[in-house]
Amino acid sequence: MAIEIHKIKVRAALRPRAEPYWAAPLGLNQSLGFRKIDTERGSWVARVKQGGRSRYKALGPSTDTFGFTEARAAAIKWFTDLDRGISTDATTVSAACKLYVEDREREKGKACAHDAKMRFERTVYGKALGDRPLDRVRAPHIKAWRDGLEMAQASANRTLTALKAALNFAVTKRLVSAAAAQEWAEVKPYKGAGKRRDLFLDLKQRRALLAASEGALKDLIQAAMLTGARAGELVNATRSQFAPRTQSMTFKGNTGTRTVPLSAAALELFERLADSKLPLANLFLRDDGKPWAHSDWDELVRAAAERAELPKGTCLYTLRH
């Protein structure tokens, strides 16, 4: 029997029970219900019957701002999404990001996926935003997440871009309604964050950073200090690019190829790294013996910079200045 749950007095008089009280159908096999939790609390539930079975959707607690009218609109939206083939599973932001990383690896390769994976591991997985269901993500949630990132604004912008790409991918896979995309579309990158970096570390600060590092990270930082090479040029360098006879190193990167002379300190470092390696072997390896992947060093450098009490925003690229 249909209950007039649209009336506040009727809801207040209902007896608490696990089974919701159902209103008149909103459509064919579509219903909105009110679950009376106790004398003070209640929540809204939607139900649809498909293929001989019932599916339910918890819409949220009944409040002054989420009453019958709002619950009815939420229920209709859910019914519409189901008709469009949009998943109603409680897919979280973290789950969407992982699916995006898997897709990037299949379509673009591991190098492309690795950057997104590292960003999400630092900023999404295990965080409040990461645990939030996709259909409950709102612009204020993303703004609070963006503003809470402990990184330079330029890096925060790149991380925001990666997150938006993952959420948009979820839309294309029908994990959430296209209407939800408006929420993250409203969150804009920081303005002026892409301007030229002006952070410079003096000799004392550079020595402090080196002292706060060890192992493979220390080798990478020292090489950046002694050559001014970009991180990618260093981690992709092979033994054959080092010429001990001419005391020089050839770097290859997005800007082309260049050969630079090495100082005595740099020569000593590269000779040690090149010892016993084959021509095509990487000069720089992580502590586990594997090649460095894109952005592997970001968090390690950030942690070393904190130990050395260096300015916020210090990264490996800072050493080129």
Side-chain angles (χ1 to χ4, degrees), residues 160-180:
L160 174 62
T161 298
L163 176 68
K164 285 186 175 183
L167 297 179
N168 288 331
F169 178 74
V171 172
T172 66
K173 291 300 179 182
R174 295 182 178 270
L175 299 177
V176 66
S177 169

Side-chain angles (χ1 to χ4, degrees), residues 25-31 47-50 79:
L26 299 180
L28 181 62
N29 296 323
Q30 298 174 347
S31 304
R47 179 184 67 188
V48 63
K49 294 182 179 179
Q50 293 179 328
F79 300 145

Side-chain angles (χ1 to χ4, degrees), residues 161-211:
T161 298
L163 176 68
K164 285 186 175 183
L167 297 179
N168 288 331
F169 178 74
V171 172
T172 66
K173 291 300 179 182
R174 295 182 178 270
L175 299 177
V176 66
S177 169
Q182 181 60 34
E183 296 294 336
W184 48 84
E186 293 180 2
V187 184
K188 305 300 182 183
Y190 291 114
K191 293 183 178 180
K195 64 182 181 181
R196 185 180 180 87
R197 308 184 194 208
D198 54 8
L199 179 59
F200 177 82
L201 301 183
D202 59 28
L203 183 58
K204 181 179 179 181
Q205 290 174 314
R206 289 172 178 246
R207 287 174 174 169
L209 178 61
L210 203 56

Side-chain angles (χ1 to χ4, degrees), residues 139-248:
H141 301 140
I142 299 179
K143 287 180 180 178
W145 166 83
R146 179 203 61 186
D147 295 342
L149 295 175
E150 297 181 354
M151 57 180 63
Q153 288 189 344
S155 295
N157 283 350
R158 289 190 288 272
T159 304
L160 174 62
T161 298
L163 176 68
K164 285 186 175 183
L167 297 179
N168 288 331
F169 178 74
V171 172
T172 66
K173 291 300 179 182
R174 295 182 178 270
L175 299 177
V176 66
S177 169
Q182 181 60 34
E183 296 294 336
W184 48 84
E186 293 180 2
V187 184
K188 305 300 182 183
Y190 291 114
K191 293 183 178 180
K195 64 182 181 181
R196 185 180 180 87
R197 308 184 194 208
D198 54 8
L199 179 59
F200 177 82
L201 301 183
D202 59 28
L203 183 58
K204 181 179 179 181
Q205 290 174 314
R206 289 172 178 246
R207 287 174 174 169
L209 178 61
L210 203 56
S213 309
E214 59 182 18
L217 177 65
K218 187 171 185 177
D219 289 339
L220 190 59
I221 290 176
Q222 187 176 14
M225 289 180 176
L226 294 173
T227 65
R230 295 175 175 83
E233 295 172 332
L234 291 169
V235 299
N236 292 322
T238 62
R239 165 65 181 83
S240 62
Q241 292 172 232
F242 170 54
R245 185 180 64 81
T246 58
Q247 300 182 3
S248 63

Side-chain angles (χ1 to χ4, degrees), residues 60-312:
S62 175
T63 65
D64 292 340
T65 58
F66 194 70
F68 177 83
T69 301
E70 292 77 15
R72 182 177 183 275
I76 292 175
K77 178 182 180 300
W78 181 58
F79 300 145
T80 302
D81 286 346
L82 285 176
D83 289 340
R84 292 174 177 173
I86 296 173
S87 171
T88 59
D89 297 332
T91 303
T92 63
V93 173
S94 288
C97 288
K98 290 176 181 178
L99 288 174
Y100 173 73
V101 170
E102 292 174 2
D103 177 76
R104 291 297 84 193
E105 184 169 335
R106 285 194 302 269
E107 299 296 327
K108 299 293 184 179
K110 291 185 177 181
C112 176
H114 185 77
D115 178 65
K117 179 182 178 182
M118 295 300 294
R119 290 185 188 278
F120 295 150
E121 286 183 349
R122 292 194 300 269
T123 64
V124 176
Y125 303 157
K127 309 296 183 182
L129 180 65
D131 295 336
R132 180 169 289 277
L134 280 178
D135 59 356
R136 296 187 181 181
V137 174
R138 301 293 180 264
H141 301 140
I142 299 179
K143 287 180 180 178
W145 166 83
R146 179 203 61 186
D147 295 342
L149 295 175
E150 297 181 354
M151 57 180 63
Q153 288 189 344
S155 295
N157 283 350
R158 289 190 288 272
T159 304
L160 174 62
T161 298
L163 176 68
K164 285 186 175 183
L167 297 179
N168 288 331
F169 178 74
V171 172
T172 66
K173 291 300 179 182
R174 295 182 178 270
L175 299 177
V176 66
S177 169
Q182 181 60 34
E183 296 294 336
W184 48 84
E186 293 180 2
V187 184
K188 305 300 182 183
Y190 291 114
K191 293 183 178 180
K195 64 182 181 181
R196 185 180 180 87
R197 308 184 194 208
D198 54 8
L199 179 59
F200 177 82
L201 301 183
D202 59 28
L203 183 58
K204 181 179 179 181
Q205 290 174 314
R206 289 172 178 246
R207 287 174 174 169
L209 178 61
L210 203 56
S213 309
E214 59 182 18
L217 177 65
K218 187 171 185 177
D219 289 339
L220 190 59
I221 290 176
Q222 187 176 14
M225 289 180 176
L226 294 173
T227 65
R230 295 175 175 83
E233 295 172 332
L234 291 169
V235 299
N236 292 322
T238 62
R239 165 65 181 83
S240 62
Q241 292 172 232
F242 170 54
R245 185 180 64 81
T246 58
Q247 300 182 3
S248 63
M249 181 70 190
T250 298
F251 291 112
K252 301 176 182 179
N254 294 334
T255 59
T257 300
R258 67 186 189 283
T259 299
V260 299
L262 299 176
S263 64
L267 181 62
E268 181 181 353
L269 171 65
F270 279 86
E271 284 179 337
R272 174 170 62 81
L273 294 174
D275 186 43
S276 301
K277 287 185 177 177
L278 297 175
L280 296 181
N282 289 82
L283 279 176
F284 294 89
L285 298 173
R286 302 185 316 200
D287 286 325
D288 60 5
K290 297 180 180 179
W292 288 95
H294 184 59
S295 297
D296 270 354
W297 54 85
D298 284 349
E299 191 170 346
L300 298 175
V301 174
R302 189 179 301 113
E306 290 179 359
R307 291 193 294 270
E309 300 181 351
L310 299 181
K312 184 178 180 179

